[in-house]
Amino acid sequence: MSCWPHTRYATILLIALSAAPAAAGEPGAAPQERAGRATAAPGPASRPGGLSAADEPPAPEPPEVITRDDRGHATIRAVRVAEPLKIDGRLDEEVYGAVSAVGDFIQQEPQAGEPETERTETWVLFDNENLYVSARLWDDHPERWVITEMRRDQGNIIQNENFSVTLDTFHDRRNGFLFQTTPLGAVRDGAFADEGNFNGNWNTVWAVKSGRFDGGWTVEMAIPFKSLRYRGAGPQVWGISFRRIVKWKNEVTYLTRVPPAYGNNGVFRMSVAGTLVGLETPGQSLNLELKPYLVSSVTTDRAAASPFSNRLSRSAGFDFKYGLTRGLIADATYNTDFAQVEEDVQQVNLTRFSLLFPEKRDFFLEGQGIFSFGGVGGGGQGGGVPGGGPNDVPVLFFSRRIGLSQGQAVPVVAGGRLAGTVGKFGVGALNIETDDQLSAGAVATNFSVIRLKRDVLRRSNIGVLATRRTPTVANNGSNVALGADANFAFFRDLTIHGYYARTQAPGASGNRSSYRGRFDYAGDRYGFQVDHILVGDRFTPEIGFVRRADFRRSTIAARFSPRLKSSRLIRKLNWNGSYDYITDGKRTRVENRQASANFRVDLHNSDEWVLDYTRDFEYLPKNFQIASNVLLPIGGYNYETVRTTYTFGQQHRIGGRLSVATGTFYEGHKQEVTFNAGRVKLSTRFNIEPGMTLDWIDLPQGRFTTNLITARGIFTPSARSLISSLFQYNQTDHTLSSSVRLRWEYTGGSELFVVYSDGRALSEANVPGLLNRSIAVKITRLVRF
């Protein structure tokens, strides 16, 4: 590979893809008007993903709304309504009496395959504008409900009483959208790819309200068709899944039979989801969105190369989104600003390698699943070691390389992105131009990414990914990365992943390649994994992330997880064992060995207790400055650690994960106490999330401690507004930081942000001195055409 095609060649390729003639039922096909009539599923020849009609129950005949088979599969019929529903959570419209409910959910936990113990009734309705999903959720003991979370898009919602619907709008049994709520009316939405690569930061416009009645709670959702991507206008066949979690008894139920081995990811496993028929989408609209913004800020930075105080800045820009087809979306951004992005939570790092922080900026989050490569997302998620060790898998495209340098923001001048589906292909392209930022050592740079994935078999895919950065970090020429990956899923529990990638940069020599192969059997009772990865000494994807270079790692792991059906306290036991063996790339030196054993007890009330033992060998190829006054010399070190962890579920007034560890460490000793994922419930709207990491290290070269204390305050006036504060004290860096953030979605997709943050350095007398401070106000407005 000697050169990279210019951006214009990539643009020509993408235009050709988007202009390809649409097949029957594909985006761009002529709309079919069949209002008021249920539509049967298409025949076997038109089913994507290799599915045939024999895999699903037949479409229900009106007035029936569901058919089931003896394998736990279900087909449900959507019903057209003459008038739009009023979304108030009351379920008092006549349609709820005239149309039968879909019910008889099936347990995933605790008794897989058994009927639900709390009755659930659901309806799927539609008109020319919206898809409506409603539910009546009966409950014998509402006084026991776990309801602690109202923040939008928070993963903690799953730790509350909650109801979810997932929609596989292309019926490819792989990808889709999630919509979730609770008795408090919390709002969570997201997009997922390949049955599990979940992007919880994907947001769209939709409405949801919850209500209560004597026997439980109710839900009404209205999801505009404009907020979804699907195969053109007219009759549709989609995949659909409902999940209900009764958290106070830790019961999980689904519309269809979902194996317990899938765990919380069962809601994304569209290969075992139901089928939705009878739905008809409206004719093609302009499908255009414009989101302008205004922002103003006042900033002080006394640590900059040229310190300044109270610098006033004002800016404006916009994001533009246009649907080339219902499944292929073009995005553009001008003068992009990220003033609303929440501050990163600090971490303690006692290793030689860099930490990976996740992407939080909206522009880079949408369509993230398409850009995932080799099991790792474009935001850096996924791809961990089977045995639970450090995540050494390279990220070929890591979007935080764009617009950030040396911890500072770099101006994004303009950019564009294309993401979506064309037939059985997933297509993604990105081109961003950033400006100079002398204080961050950044020069004007162009970033380009192209991704192409092809669905094969029923649940598998293959693809290629290419990136280009001009100029390089060293400001000389271009850095190019090119890779191919394959992800195969067989049966219910077996997956095989692999990739090969290579980079090119001016003057680079040595091994510029990386590859990986992974075999993973993840049954409910047994698990087994084998993983092998190589990262060359000159493998440098400069729009990616490489935690460590020049290594070869082999891993084997096994698990045994029996269920105790007769116990009223314990639900499941888990024994895990793994072995990691890491050498340099040429196998001339052993760099790490780790043998680990893990025992976990899952309780019926959702608490967990874990006991870990690890035995490590690490070779330091050069002196390692582990602390400001402690230098570890070159050589090999053996150490071992015992750790016990107890997780308190959200049903407790104080929840979180408390961990205590002790053991040897680099020929010395280390004790550690951590408390994370903490939550103190003061009311349903006000909570505090404390966290801490305390380390006491005693080495022959010296003693030191590392203390990191965090506290987040949360006040949620409503499901679409939030006031949060974050306080962080880092003893190692002698810093104190704080921030306060207001987020208010005042109308669908339009938001107001007010953000204050400061950083202070602590002197020897622990007197805080100001390093930086800023206050920003940003307002956005979404306009749909």
Side-chain angles (χ1 to χ4, degrees), residues 230-482:
Y230 48 86
R231 296 178 182 272
Q236 302 284 315
V237 177
W238 291 0
I240 188 168
S241 180
F242 297 126
R243 179 183 68 187
R244 180 185 179 185
I245 297 180
V246 184
K247 194 60 185 178
W248 68 266
K249 63 169 62 175
N250 208 12
E251 177 179 291
V252 183
T253 60
Y254 285 86
L255 169 69
T256 56
R257 187 173 298 162
V258 176
Y262 291 169
N264 290 334
N265 280 342
V267 74
F268 309 129
R269 295 295 189 121
M270 302 312 295
S271 57
V272 294
T275 302
L276 177 65
V277 299
L279 182 66
E280 298 180 39
T281 56
Q284 184 90 3
S285 62
L286 186 58
N287 203 10
L288 172 65
E289 292 183 1
L290 184 65
K291 194 171 186 177
Y293 80 86
L294 296 171
V295 64
S296 180
S297 64
V298 178
T299 306
T300 295
D301 192 344
R302 296 178 180 174
S306 300
F308 57 88
S309 297
N310 299 325
R311 177 180 293 175
L312 175 65
S313 64
R314 290 160 295 191
S315 184
F318 65 84
D319 291 337
F320 169 90
K321 189 186 300 289
Y322 178 64
L324 300 174
T325 68
R326 279 294 184 185
L328 190 63
I329 307 299
D331 295 87
T333 184
Y334 170 71
N335 202 22
T336 310
D337 177 84
F338 303 112
Q340 79 279 13
V341 175
E342 191 175 32
E343 182 181 356
D344 287 322
V345 176
Q346 298 179 35
Q347 303 175 44
V348 172
N349 185 14
L350 295 175
T351 73
R352 299 178 282 135
F353 309 110
S354 300
L355 296 174
L356 180 67
F357 291 89
E359 179 62 86
K360 296 182 179 180
R361 300 169 294 174
D362 290 345
F363 180 80
F364 296 106
L365 289 168
E366 186 160 346
Q368 194 179 84
I370 290 177
F371 292 98
S372 64
F373 178 85
V376 183
Q381 295 87 354
V385 176
N391 191 340
D392 290 331
V393 181
V395 183
L396 199 60
F397 168 53
F398 182 45
S399 54
R400 279 183 67 117
R401 294 297 188 201
I402 303 173
L404 291 169
S405 178
Q406 299 181 18
Q408 297 185 42
V410 176
V412 176
V413 178
R417 177 183 57 213
L418 186 67
T421 302
V422 180
K424 292 187 176 182
F425 288 90
V427 179
L430 180 74
N431 190 269
I432 299 285
E433 190 76 27
T434 61
D435 208 347
D436 296 319
Q437 183 74 9
L438 296 181
S439 62
V443 300
T445 305
N446 179 266
F447 300 85
S448 301
V449 183
I450 292 180
R451 174 63 160 156
L452 189 65
K453 293 171 67 175
R454 172 64 157 85
D455 291 343
V456 296
L457 306 178
R458 291 195 176 190
R459 296 162 48 214
S460 307
N461 62 73
I462 57 176
V464 293
L465 175 69
T467 71
R468 178 177 185 258
R469 172 177 176 152
T470 305
T472 66
V473 173
N475 202 21
N476 59 344
S478 299
N479 176 274
V480 176
L482 180 64

Side-chain angles (χ1 to χ4, degrees), residues 528-665:
F528 180 75
Q529 297 137 343
V530 178
D531 195 7
H532 183 79
I533 183 171
L534 168 74
V535 177
D537 59 331
R538 293 294 184 269
F539 180 71
T540 55
E542 291 193 359
I543 318 183
F545 179 86
V546 178
R547 183 175 182 267
R548 66 187 294 178
D550 188 23
F551 78 93
R552 184 185 298 271
R553 190 194 73 209
S554 299
T555 303
I556 186 169
R559 172 179 52 82
F560 175 53
S561 306
R563 292 177 177 269
L564 304 184
K565 295 183 179 181
S566 60
S567 174
R568 294 186 177 183
L569 176 65
I570 298 173
R571 176 168 297 185
K572 191 176 183 180
L573 302 177
N574 299 269
W575 282 274
N576 296 270
S578 66
Y579 185 75
D580 267 349
Y581 186 80
I582 303 176
T583 69
D584 62 343
K586 296 180 180 179
R587 297 192 181 98
T588 60
R589 180 180 63 238
V590 176
E591 295 196 343
N592 293 87
R593 289 191 306 264
Q594 183 186 80
S596 66
N598 169 283
F599 174 66
R600 189 180 85 232
V601 179
D602 298 341
L603 304 181
H604 281 299
N605 69 350
S606 79
D607 287 6
E608 292 180 356
W609 176 69
V610 179
L611 180 65
D612 288 295
Y613 169 79
T614 59
R615 186 170 184 176
D616 293 87
F617 167 81
E618 180 177 1
Y619 178 79
L620 297 181
K622 59 182 180 181
N623 293 339
F624 174 33
Q625 189 84 44
I626 193 171
S628 59
N629 59 344
V630 178
L631 183 68
L632 297 177
I634 297 172
Y637 297 84
N638 290 284
Y639 48 92
E640 55 189 11
T641 304
V642 176
R643 179 185 302 273
T644 183
T645 304
Y646 193 90
T647 301
F648 300 87
Q650 295 295 316
Q651 74 275 12
H652 302 291
R653 182 167 290 275
I654 299 178
R657 185 178 301 112
L658 177 64
S659 177
V660 178
T662 184
T664 54
F665 189 64

